[in-house]
Amino acid sequence: MLQPRIPVNPLPTGKPIPLPQSTPDVEPAAPAPTPIPVVPARTTVQLTPGSALALAAGGGAVVLVVGTVLVSMLLAVAITGVSVAVCAVVLKSLINQERKH
């Protein structure tokens, strides 16, 4: 089942080795199905001035939205860092006051 169909020639002579012929008692194979018509390759996209303007506006909108999201995430991280730093300073001052008294 998993054996190769083409035999390996241990001493290459340059002559092709014929494949074994099927036995005559085997029924002939069904006729080959009709070939599927080949779909022609897609043509290039033609941009009109209006579609180019719409594409540029869409790209600009995407850049603005992604930039806004990234800046807001950076701002959230900065605010969190500042609040943690303020909490650390307050806790340190409270602990120092407890040690003095």
Side-chain angles (χ1 to χ4, degrees):
M1 180 171 136
L2 297 176
Q3 296 176 352
R5 293 180 180 253
I6 299 175
V8 177
N9 189 358
L11 299 172
T13 59
K15 297 178 183 176
I17 300 173
L19 293 174
Q21 300 296 327
S22 61
T23 57
D25 58 339
V26 176
E27 294 181 17
T34 58
I36 299 172
V38 177
V39 178
R42 289 186 172 184
T43 59
T44 57
V45 177
Q46 305 258 339
L47 289 178
T48 62
S51 63
L53 184 63
L55 186 63
V62 168
V63 167
L64 287 176
V65 169
V66 170
T68 302
V69 169
L70 291 177
V71 167
S72 64
M73 290 172 63
L74 180 64
L75 186 61
V77 169
I79 290 172
T80 304
V82 169
S83 65
V84 168
V86 168
C87 288
V89 169
V90 169
L91 284 174
K92 186 175 179 181
S93 68
L94 288 175
I95 290 173
N96 284 338
Q97 283 182 357
E98 285 293 322
R99 286 185 187 168
K100 290 180 182 179
H101 293 292

